[in-house]
Amino acid sequence: MSTRLALFILTTLLFSTSAALAHDVTPGDAGYIQEIWGVHIIPFIYLGAKHMITGYDHILFLLGVVFFLYHMKDVAIYVSLFAIGHSVTMLLGVWFGWGINAYIIDAIIGLSVIYKALDNLGMFQKWLGFQPNTKAATLIFGLFHGTGLASKILEYEIAPDGLLANLLSFNVGVEVGQLLALFVILIVMGYWRRNPNFLKQAAYANWIMVALGAWLTYIQIAGYITFPQQA
Amino acid sequence: MYNAPQPKLEDLPSKRQLRRSSIIAGIGAVFIGVAVYMPAELGQDPTGVGSLLGLTEMGEIKQQLKAEAAADAETHSELEPSLLDDILGLFVSSAYAQEAWQDSITFTLEPGEYTETKAIMEEGATLFYEWSSTGGRVNFDLHAHAGSDAVTYEKGRGQTEGTGSFETPFAGNHGWFWRNRDEEAVTVTLLLRGDYSAILSEEK
């Protein structure tokens, strides 16, 4: 064997082993889910609740929904409509694998925040001359929010073994997270509503929500234009 | 104005009610933080509630994955294979006939342990494999990456056997990352044949 050949082999080996055995580890929640199989009810409830509480776009919409609601009966009706909406599309979406582009669905969720804030401001009455049904809107936007949740859960790649039980647990967790968030929102709103200037400040707050919704929509559309292929 | 009338003060929750709710929320937040968040995220369980609910395991796995990802980012290589073995392998293995299995690799993983088995292959080469596990089920990720190229051939969770083949889209080290997430020690036997020059496997 010539020296040149020996050198070539050595170089090739050194080169190939340098990139050799590193494995692709996904850390965090997705990594955990990709490591397990079978039924894990409580961990999936936890993950669902965490998903909702850290999902600022869902929380912002929820804030918009309950902004002017202070009778517990109304709060319960609207929050249930939102929950029914997002449960339906979340469960069906994951079960049937409806992978919708995450940027597009998140842009729509951003629009839902704008819609609800404008609705709170009475802008549809002013601009269109009538009030679109607020309950129907809450349900319909709930369906969109559920599709967004489903798109993100699909990225988690939950094992087929135990999928339905884990998915239902996740959904229960989403509702638990929503109730926990709602509890805090209602306390803050409770204090705020007692303020005599509440309605005036509420107008500013809802215009800020319009701006936040527009910003969310903008970054999602920008993301879609930059990475159109990303699911 | 707006969609709502000015709320009447008597319809609103009283300050006393609000204060009580705030205290409940505060206690709840501390409880969730210590009894649920800490085990589920950090794998630490000072109250014992996390282990009772099965959340501590999740936190431990997350911490383990985080540490491994950090180690991965730091060094992209975990093992220095014996150069002699590789050079020998380079000449010996390519001489074998295609019909018989060229290599048989057996390893045992304790719960939570992992290992890698990789074949050094050229572009367009094919590897045939067959494996089975005893003692429990195993997770695997059959993949390769070299430079900016990356490919995932197959992933599996809680499997006890597998068989198949793949053709490489680029030259490099193609093979398995194995991890035992079952409760008992798992022994895997892997049979290989194909156009590879050497096998790298981590010693346990």
Side-chain angles (χ1 to χ4, degrees), chain A residues 70-94:
Chain A
Y70 52 92
H71 291 301
M72 276 331 273
K73 201 183 118 216
D74 293 333
V75 172
I77 289 171
Y78 279 88
V79 170
S80 303
L81 281 172
F82 182 52
I84 289 166
H86 69 232
S87 299
V88 165
T89 41
M90 193 194 94
L91 291 170
L92 292 180
V94 176

Side-chain angles (χ1 to χ4, degrees), chain B residues 37-119:
Chain B
Y37 177 87
M38 274 177 72
E41 298 294 332
L42 310 174
Q44 291 165 4
D45 189 22
T47 59
V49 173
S51 305
L52 208 68
L53 298 177
L55 289 171
T56 313
E57 186 203 18
M58 169 159 68
E60 283 165 357
I61 290 177
K62 282 183 192 172
Q63 287 300 312
Q64 185 190 22
L65 293 174
K66 197 177 146 197
E68 285 168 17
D72 254 18
E74 202 151 284
T75 162
H76 234 236
S77 160
E78 289 178 334
L79 147 146
E80 293 293 324
S82 143
L83 277 182
L84 191 65
D85 284 355
D86 287 336
I87 292 167
L88 283 175
L90 205 61
F91 293 103
V92 176
S93 57
S94 52
Y96 276 112
Q98 289 296 299
E99 283 70 33
W101 295 114
Q102 283 161 234
D103 280 289
S104 167
I105 295 155
T106 301
F107 55 87
T108 299
L109 298 174
E110 296 297 321
E113 274 189 341
Y114 64 87
T115 189
E116 296 219 37
T117 319
K118 294 277 176 80

Side-chain angles (χ1 to χ4, degrees), chain B residues 92-157:
Chain B
V92 176
S93 57
S94 52
Y96 276 112
Q98 289 296 299
E99 283 70 33
W101 295 114
Q102 283 161 234
D103 280 289
S104 167
I105 295 155
T106 301
F107 55 87
T108 299
L109 298 174
E110 296 297 321
E113 274 189 341
Y114 64 87
T115 189
E116 296 219 37
T117 319
K118 294 277 176 80
I120 302 179
M121 298 172 77
E122 293 303 318
E123 187 180 334
T126 304
L127 182 75
F128 296 88
Y129 61 85
E130 196 177 299
W131 67 267
S132 61
S133 74
T134 54
R137 296 158 292 182
V138 71
N139 293 2
F140 65 88
D141 182 353
L142 178 54
H143 69 285
H145 42 75
S148 58
D149 294 325
V151 59
T152 299
Y153 300 108
E154 200 193 348
K155 283 187 180 191
R157 275 174 287 192

Side-chain angles (χ1 to χ4, degrees), chain A residues 1-210:
Chain A
M1 181 163 52
S2 74
T3 325
R4 269 174 73 187
L5 181 61
L7 268 177
F8 171 76
I9 291 169
L10 279 173
T11 324
T12 312
L13 281 171
L14 285 174
F15 180 76
S16 61
T17 49
S18 66
L21 286 153
H23 54 271
D24 298 310
V25 185
T26 312
D29 295 337
Y32 165 72
I33 291 171
Q34 285 162 25
E35 292 275 317
I36 57 161
W37 63 86
V39 175
H40 292 260
I41 289 174
I42 305 258
F44 274 94
I45 290 178
Y46 171 82
L47 290 168
K50 180 183 171 185
H51 204 88
M52 194 63 176
I53 287 177
T54 55
Y56 47 84
D57 43 359
H58 302 294
I59 299 292
L60 206 54
F61 182 73
L62 193 62
L63 173 66
V65 168
V66 299
F67 206 100
F68 287 121
L69 303 178
Y70 52 92
H71 291 301
M72 276 331 273
K73 201 183 118 216
D74 293 333
V75 172
I77 289 171
Y78 279 88
V79 170
S80 303
L81 281 172
F82 182 52
I84 289 166
H86 69 232
S87 299
V88 165
T89 41
M90 193 194 94
L91 291 170
L92 292 180
V94 176
W95 194 253
F96 293 109
W98 302 334
I100 293 178
N101 186 295
Y103 290 119
I104 291 178
I105 196 73
D106 285 346
I108 294 171
I109 291 173
L111 289 175
S112 75
V113 174
I114 301 177
Y115 177 93
K116 190 60 216 175
L118 288 175
D119 188 27
N120 285 344
L121 288 162
M123 281 302 161
F124 296 119
Q125 291 169 26
K126 197 173 168 187
W127 291 340
L128 309 175
F130 77 103
Q131 173 59 50
N133 188 310
T134 47
K135 284 177 186 152
T138 306
L139 181 67
I140 290 164
F141 280 122
L143 294 170
F144 280 109
H145 280 247
T147 312
L149 287 163
S151 299
K152 265 151 223 160
I153 297 165
L154 284 172
E155 287 171 22
Y156 280 156
E157 299 173 26
I158 301 177
D161 179 4
L163 176 62
L164 186 60
N166 290 339
L167 202 53
L168 289 170
S169 306
F170 191 91
N171 197 28
V172 169
V174 166
E175 307 317 331
V176 170
Q178 175 173 297
L179 287 176
L180 290 174
L182 192 65
F183 193 65
V184 176
I185 290 172
L186 287 178
I187 292 172
V188 174
M189 293 304 296
Y191 278 112
W192 193 4
R193 273 191 255 273
R194 298 183 65 86
N195 186 320
N197 295 321
F198 170 68
L199 274 190
K200 202 178 159 199
Q201 291 165 356
Y204 292 120
N206 276 285
W207 281 115
I208 290 168
M209 277 175 63
V210 171

